[in-house]
Amino acid sequence: MNDPIEPTSWLGDSGDDCDVVLSSRVRLARNLAGVPFVGQASDPDRNEVVGIVRRSPVFADHPDGLSWLEMETLSDQERTMLVERHLISHQFADARFPRGVGLSADKRLSVMVNEEDHIRMQSLAPGLALRDAFQRVAEIRDELESTVDFAFSPRWGFLTACPTNVGCGIRFSVMLHLPGLKMTEELGRVRQAAKDLHLAVRGCHGEGSESSGDLFQISNQITLGDSEEELLDKFRDDVVPLLLKYERASRKLILNEKRTMLEDKVHRALATLRSARILGLNEGTRLLSMLRLGNSLKIIEKPGLKTIHRLLLQVQPGHLSSMMGIGLDESEEDARVVRASLVRQALEDVLQ
Amino acid sequence: MNDPIEPTSWLGDSGDDCDVVLSSRVRLARNLAGVPFVGQASDPDRNEVVGIVRRSPVFADHPDGLSWLEMETLSDQERTMLVERHLISHQFADARFPRGVGLSADKRLSVMVNEEDHIRMQSLAPGLALRDAFQRVAEIRDELESTVDFAFSPRWGFLTACPTNVGCGIRFSVMLHLPGLKMTEELGRVRQAAKDLHLAVRGCHGEGSESSGDLFQISNQITLGDSEEELLDKFRDDVVPLLLKYERASRKLILNEKRTMLEDKVHRALATLRSARILGLNEGTRLLSMLRLGNSLKIIEKPGLKTIHRLLLQVQPGHLSSMMGIGLDESEEDARVVRASLVRQALEDVLQ
């Protein structure tokens, strides 16, 4: 858990369409045949699920094998860091029954056991890379399938705890940076369009989370009636390009019509991050978002996306407490002081 | 009018108690015997006043002689700059009848003719220097008295258009920087104390002006019943030291108890001033005020008081338009852009 964030983070500085797309994620839900869903299961049932999954070849001792983390043995800080990296969900981190997660060495792939479903596999990739992410999840699925019997209905497809996942149980999502649409006040229109396209628009930590730093997670809502491949193609080729087009048009409009206002915001953001002695999570994220926009539009050259992404991760409570050696339950006042210090130092390092 | 602000400005970087006191001012009101007060006078009367004052030796052609500016011949920009330097009043700048001002070469002394009274002499000095300022005004008064007959009543003293100035017609004021009392939310208490001491507390441009950048002009209200010297001693030795004590105690308190908060504000202010591309007058003044506090408390070494004071003057509309070659009636949007540019450049020059 105390590995450096780089080079293993899925948040790189590159990837297709990285001016708008931070990352792509593919998640696949499966349940074991003949075992109650997690919500209805007893702890012995849940332990049985863990045992069955862990005996599958995905955990075997080979270079691509996943390592296993028993959730009960992790500290609050470690669990929080996994949430901040989008490797596990909030609900999974906070649950109080037998559960665990398999992680790939590059921390781009995770297999949650006993989340809402018995098995939730997900793969993350920087930029727009849904096919790559899907490929990797499919490999894990196939490996699991060689030893595990998935609950399946010929009529409905793969069975899941929540009906919205029934069918092929797949969900695609992209994390988009939409400061342009925010500034031109068109987010409302885009939300409506997304709804019409059966998409869910969420904050950067998924269901129930607020948007922070103009980051939005967009995902498909429909998992029924189409094949995984068809869903993937529709999402990747129709839906995402439309959102990218809107965001880029907004940025271009601002750049043409309000360039000075934009430069003012970007340079102030950088100056504030370089000099603040107290920095809250929301303000830090908001200012980093402005740097990201400034970098994409070439208003500033440094810091680059890599540094900005790393900081977006490190300003969060779990990573901050781990990096700076303070308790996760440190007072918010102290956390704001060390957050400011971390950001200042990181920016001095790259801007010198 | 297009002389450089330095070295002739009364806003230096030194002077006694300059951590709190920006400047001292002594103003003396006099009227000519046998001529109606300015408000009741006809234009021929007013021209007569101008003629009489201008023939006095204070305008004679010697090294200390004042130079004469006919207000009707000045541009809006020039009049605005004189107001911003506190050499003439707003009312005087905007009036529409014969009037003018005598200015010393160092721009620390001005004699307004046909302001509210026929003659208003005032002397400005950096820091706490009321006695010096008084000395200089007294010299001008004596010189004027050698050729001009002042309106005087044995019972009331020197007669003035407004009863509050009757008596010795003198007003002392100090421009104080009170960010400490503002932060500790004690300004209300200080205002009450000032009222009890018969002081007027005003914004930095005198009567009716709002405080900007935590700058306050404190002046005596009583001019009757005491000699000039007694009033001066009371103001300088009793009143001002009390206010300085309060302000310094507040700063010390903040420094001891909220040092990080203060450092955060000061460093953010400097960073913002160095990087903004759009800067409003109020924001600019507020941030410069924060730098002034930071400099006084040694949180930052540069910029020094001299630069800060110069910028406090230059961010104002008249100086800004003069320095940057834009019209005084330029759109506020354009003014904010050139203000940001001026401040950025000035700070880069001293911070390199």
Side-chain angles (χ1 to χ4, degrees), chain B residues 33-175:
Chain B
V35 184
F37 286 138
V38 177
Q40 280 76 47
S42 63
D43 276 359
D45 291 336
R46 292 165 178 150
N47 276 322
E48 190 194 341
V49 174
V50 168
I52 291 172
V53 176
R54 288 220 52 201
R55 282 193 297 276
S56 86
V58 299
F59 288 99
D61 189 19
H62 60 75
D64 293 337
L66 304 183
S67 54
W68 177 252
L69 294 176
E70 197 83 43
M71 291 306 286
E72 311 282 80
T73 68
L74 300 182
S75 67
D76 283 351
Q77 189 188 69
E78 289 167 320
R79 287 201 299 273
T80 305
M81 286 174 78
L82 288 173
V83 173
E84 289 166 0
R85 290 187 189 200
H86 296 265
L87 290 167
I88 65 173
S89 64
H90 269 297
Q91 295 78 354
F92 189 70
D94 296 343
R96 286 281 169 266
F97 51 70
R99 69 211 188 285
V101 62
L103 289 181
S104 65
D106 66 2
K107 306 284 191 293
R108 292 188 179 194
L109 190 116
S110 68
V111 178
M112 282 182 276
V113 180
N114 289 333
E115 211 257 11
E116 187 181 281
D117 296 298
H118 292 147
I119 304 173
R120 287 205 164 178
M121 306 156 244
Q122 64 154 30
S123 168
L124 292 152
L128 186 57
L130 287 161
R131 187 156 286 278
D132 290 353
F134 174 67
Q135 196 54 45
R136 209 153 166 209
V137 160
E139 283 165 17
I140 289 287
R141 175 201 60 193
D142 294 346
E143 261 192 285
L144 278 169
E145 219 161 21
S146 69
T147 59
V148 176
D149 192 12
F150 292 147
F152 181 80
S153 141
R155 179 163 182 197
W156 297 110
F158 291 100
L159 300 179
T160 52
C162 176
T164 57
N165 294 311
V166 165
C168 50
I170 202 158
R171 182 149 287 168
F172 306 103
S173 69
V174 281
M175 182 83 77

